[in-house]
Amino acid sequence: MTRLVDRLRPHAIAFYRSFWFSTPATMRLWALAAVVVNAGITVTGAAVRLTGSGLGCPTWPRCTPDSFVPAPHDSHSPVNMAIEFGNRLLTFLVLAVAVACLIAAVRLARAGHGEGRRVLVRLAALQPIGVVAQALWGGLVVRTLLNPVTVSVHFLLSVGMIAAAFTLYARSGEGDAPPHRLVHRDIRTLGFFLTAAVFVLIIVGVVVTGTGPHSGDQAASRFGFDIESVVRLHTDVVWIVVGLTFALLFALHVTDSPGRARRGALVLLGVELAQGVIGYVQYFLAVPAFIVGLHVLGATLVWIATLRVVFLMRSRGALGAPAPDRALPHTANA
């Protein structure tokens, strides 16, 4: 036992120092952790619905009317209760990472790493606030018996949390100089249009989910739309997103834009194509739960890859160094 404690002590100290005596490097690691846990709980939340465990804990904040933890209940199986309760427990992991991000950002700003580092405090503060808002909204989801509107908003809040976490991650890895474009302004505008299109795609995908099977529980209601119509609309938006991505990738190459921006767009296109394959497979196999779960994971990765491309097309300079006073030559001539 003593040997085990001796082995764990250095890791515990390093863990403690990573946020209490944070550096730009550890701040970025905590921000990355926030991206991972927010993406993870988004996928596990979908797994709760796909396994029919949405009302495994039929009350909130308690799991059952008389207990905060799973207890025998006539209307729900132990497996469903365990799945739903497990997802609730993951909220505490997300909250712990969120608090660590906020502490790291505050300590970094107080350590004198530049006045601009205070923006990290504001971005990091969104994490615990978002977790609390999500928890409260999750209670509304349960109390409305998985109404598709509340379930949809619950997922979209997770999408917003991922965006906030990725912004914190991107901002913590760059300097505090005024932002300057690395690509032509029209290409950057195209990137913004692409981001908006991906968000619309996610919204339409949520409507498809709320219209089709896998409601999360037999008591849950569904949207009253025609499933074929919303699937067709979803497919149309997919092709718009893929077309915009290809146009962005082409524009980045013909203007000799920075390699990291071109690689980011190429990764995004690859993720979209893989997501498209999964989408068609789930459609022709009558939307099996496992494939739908992969599709939710793919949607999360598409969103993250899109945000990454947008941030790769501009710069605030390296940490501790000012950004260039003028645009790069290829930008000026584009």
Side-chain angles (χ1 to χ4, degrees), residues 21 68 79 83 102 244 277 283 293 317:
F21 298 99
F68 282 96
V79 174
I83 293 174
L102 181 56
L244 289 174
V277 171
Y283 178 79

Side-chain angles (χ1 to χ4, degrees), residues 255-270:
T255 56
D256 193 27
S257 297
R260 62 176 189 167
R262 285 179 283 160
R263 290 190 296 270
L266 185 61
V267 169
L268 173 59
L269 181 62

Side-chain angles (χ1 to χ4, degrees), residues 153-233:
V153 173
H154 200 40
F155 183 83
L156 293 177
L157 285 174
S158 294
V159 170
M161 287 288 292
I162 292 172
F166 191 88
T167 302
L168 176 63
Y169 171 72
R171 192 69 182 84
S172 62
E174 58 188 9
D176 300 319
H180 70 283
R181 290 180 287 103
L182 299 176
V183 299
H184 190 277
R185 65 175 181 273
D186 292 338
I187 298 177
R188 185 151 169 78
T189 301
L190 178 60
F192 291 141
F193 273 108
L194 172 61
T195 304
V198 171
F199 186 68
V200 171
L201 176 61
I202 291 174
I203 293 176
V204 177
V206 166
V207 174
V208 173
T209 299
T211 304
H214 307 300
S215 63
D217 191 273
Q218 293 180 350
S221 59
R222 301 273 79 195
F223 286 127
F225 304 118
D226 177 65
I227 185 63
E228 291 188 3
S229 298
V230 291
V231 168
R232 190 176 298 112
L233 176 62

